[in-house]
Amino acid sequence: MGLSGSGKSILVRHIIRLIEPTGGEIPLNGTDVGKLGKEDLREMRANEIGMVVQNTALLPHRTLRDDIAVSLAHRNVDAFIRPRLANKVIDLVHLQSYADRSR
């Protein structure tokens, strides 16, 4: 978390290579993300890291918990387990007070 314009989204976009870095390494769980091929990059994005865009409001009725659960649904995680896993992630990043807010 940080001030608007401080580079949070740019940093995440570099880590998941939506923006290609011009040099250096991007270590994630022992792997240099910059060296991943298309298939491995797709796998990493699906299973290792995610990004919730806060003001896009494509689906304004969704909460933070819902956004996280959608990504789990795309990974075919059982619907009964999704809320518990979403809560675990929300707790991990200390965003409990935002969990049920919609846009």
Side-chain angles (χ1 to χ4, degrees):
M1 292 177 52
L3 296 174
S4 178
S6 64
K8 302 175 302 290
S9 295
I10 295 294
L11 176 62
V12 173
R13 287 184 180 109
H14 272 92
I15 293 169
I16 61 178
R17 287 182 43 205
L18 290 178
I19 299 173
E20 288 291 342
T22 56
E25 295 180 353
I26 305 171
L28 181 67
N29 295 332
T31 300
D32 182 358
V33 174
K35 293 181 179 176
L36 294 177
K38 287 183 181 182
E39 187 60 36
D40 289 331
L41 182 59
R42 190 175 302 117
E43 180 75 17
M44 182 272 304
R45 288 175 179 161
N47 295 307
E48 297 293 325
I49 192 166
M51 180 175 175
V52 175
V53 182
Q54 56 187 332
N55 290 321
T56 304
L58 295 174
L59 300 168
H61 61 284
R62 290 195 184 272
T63 64
L64 174 61
R65 183 179 286 110
D66 294 336
D67 281 344
I68 295 168
V70 164
S71 67
L72 295 170
H74 288 290
R75 291 172 49 197
N76 296 317
V77 173
D78 185 272
F80 182 75
I81 298 171
R82 287 180 217 153
R84 187 174 72 231
L85 292 176
N87 286 333
K88 185 176 179 180
V89 171
I90 290 166
D91 289 344
L92 179 69
V93 294
H94 307 289
L95 292 176
Q96 298 90 341
S97 62
Y98 295 92
D100 295 313
R101 290 188 189 180
S102 56
R103 293 176 181 78

